[in-house]
Amino acid sequence: KTDKTNAEGKKTLTTPTTTSTMDVTVHPLVLISAADHYLRVARGTRKRVVGVLLGTVRKGRVDATNSFAVPFEEDNRNPLVFYLDHNYLENMLGMFRKINAKERVVGFYSTGPSIRPNDLKIYSMVKRFVPDEVSTPPVFLIIDVRPDRQSIPTTAYRVVEEIDTNATTGGNEMKKNFAHVPSLIGAEEAEEVGVEHLLRDVNDPTVSTVAQLIKAKMSGLGALTEKLVEMKDYLEDVQTGKLKINLTIVSNMQTIFNLLPNLNVEELVKSMMIKTNDMYLVIYLSSLIRSVIALHDLVSNKIEYMEHDGSGPALEKGEEKKEDKEPVDEKKSKPTKKQ
């Protein structure tokens, strides 16, 4: 809120226009910091951890480039009781400003994995650290650290005000709720290089590359199946009247279906079969060549070992091994002197 002077010389209190959040881009450093925070504080428990997101905002697009942990405790029995060290938050924010003045508070994160009743109160506390000149409100990001998750581990929300009609008094009440915001994983070139080096260190040498590729394909197909089932459930709810139709969602679905190839065309089916057969032929020939080379190496190693051991090549049937020569008699070998 700012004070402005009108034409009559009186000061009026004005509120800056709020820019709606379009999407949230999460950088790898935020994911690594949140995972490390959870492993240090709440590993093996049902607790969650909370931290502050730092980054930049441009035209409603939030870039969460950095984060830091905040001491947080809550009572599982009474969801209204929680503790967030805002003094620690203020001191850490001051130190981060000395390092990079461009980064500011863009929201907060939680390991969830779902929204809790205290999240709106935490949102109100974090909002106090957002500069007044910023029109985009902070966002709430849930980072799912469970290793069995197949889809993107981030879910972003923004706070919206909704009018709720009170049945007892008949009046309208303004309530705040979380609304979903699209989230994606993004990285700069330097971050991509750092992540690649990090993945090399955590690579499991016991798992083959083929197994990793198959696992990645299965994960992708599983995520695709979940999205298709979600689209099917949404369309059924719209058809039965449980949900109102959203033209934007329907338009996106139509665009997705229009991009799908028509597999009923005979030429396309024939070309796909030829391409598949060619690929399988290459795989079959590669397997044969690999097996022949392996057998050749095995035979070569066997022969080399036998030669080195001194036994020589195997003898044919019926051939006996010659024994060592008998020692020569010295008396017979010496020549006689002539008298």
Side-chain angles (χ1 to χ4, degrees), residues 58-330:
R58 184 177 180 181
K59 296 181 180 180
R61 300 184 181 275
V62 179
D63 269 341
T65 57
N66 203 351
S67 65
F68 62 88
V70 178
F72 174 78
E73 291 289 340
E74 62 181 345
D75 190 357
N76 295 328
R77 299 178 181 178
N78 188 1
L80 299 178
V81 178
F82 74 97
Y83 167 74
L84 181 68
D85 194 347
H86 56 86
N87 293 326
Y88 177 86
L89 193 158
E90 186 175 357
N91 294 332
M92 287 291 294
L93 185 59
M95 289 189 288
F96 271 95
R97 284 175 180 171
K98 294 179 181 179
I99 299 174
N100 191 352
K102 294 182 180 180
E103 290 183 347
R104 64 171 186 83
V105 177
V106 295
F108 70 101
Y109 72 84
S110 167
T111 55
S114 59
I115 299 175
R116 304 286 182 87
N118 297 327
D119 291 334
L120 284 173
K121 296 181 180 180
I122 299 173
Y123 173 85
S124 301
M125 296 180 65
V126 174
K127 191 176 181 181
R128 293 185 300 176
F129 296 93
V130 178
D132 296 334
E133 64 273 10
V134 177
S135 59
T136 304
V139 297
F140 173 42
L141 183 69
I142 293 180
I143 302 176
D144 195 346
V145 296
R146 293 177 296 182
D148 56 346
R149 184 179 177 91
Q150 302 296 336
S151 58
I152 296 178
T154 58
T155 309
Y157 299 93
R158 62 184 177 92
V159 174
V160 295
E161 294 182 349
E162 298 178 351
I163 299 176
D164 187 15
T165 303
N166 194 341
T168 57
T169 60
N172 296 329
E173 295 181 358
M174 189 70 69
K175 289 187 176 182
K176 293 182 178 180
N177 289 320
F178 286 108
H180 184 265
V181 178
S183 63
L184 59 146
I185 308 297
E188 298 178 357
E189 186 176 357
E191 293 176 326
E192 291 179 358
V193 174
V195 170
E196 288 179 0
H197 284 283
L198 180 63
L199 292 177
R200 289 178 183 176
D201 295 335
V202 301
N203 187 23
D204 189 1
T206 60
V207 181
S208 63
T209 307
V210 178
Q212 291 179 351
L213 292 175
I214 294 175
K215 186 177 180 180
K217 294 290 185 183
M218 293 179 63
S219 300
L221 292 175
L224 178 61
T225 303
E226 291 180 1
K227 299 301 180 183
L228 292 175
V229 171
E230 186 177 355
M231 293 168 62
K232 173 178 170 292
D233 295 339
Y234 171 78
L235 293 176
E236 289 179 352
D237 293 339
V238 171
Q239 185 179 7
T240 55
K242 294 180 180 180
L243 295 175
K244 294 182 180 179
I245 186 171
N246 190 328
L247 297 179
T248 304
I249 297 176
V250 175
S251 177
N252 290 333
M253 290 184 180
Q254 187 64 45
T255 303
I256 294 172
F257 293 142
N258 290 337
L259 293 175
L260 294 176
N262 186 9
L263 300 178
N264 296 325
V265 180
E266 185 177 357
E267 296 179 356
L268 180 60
V269 174
K270 185 177 180 180
S271 60
M272 290 184 65
M273 291 294 295
I274 294 174
K275 184 68 175 178
T276 304
N277 291 335
D278 293 341
M279 293 176 63
Y280 279 123
L281 178 62
V282 173
I283 294 173
Y284 178 70
L285 292 176
S286 302
S287 301
L288 287 179
I289 295 172
R290 185 177 180 182
S291 301
V292 172
I293 292 174
L295 290 174
H296 181 269
D297 292 340
L298 179 62
V299 174
S300 300
N301 291 336
K302 182 68 173 177
I303 294 174
E304 183 179 357
Y305 173 74
M306 292 176 68
E307 291 178 353
H308 180 73
D309 191 42
S311 58
L315 299 176
E316 298 180 358
K317 292 183 178 180
E319 183 181 356
E320 297 179 357
K321 187 177 179 181
K322 296 181 179 181
E323 298 180 356
D324 296 338
K325 295 182 179 180
E326 297 180 357
V328 181
D329 191 359
E330 294 180 356

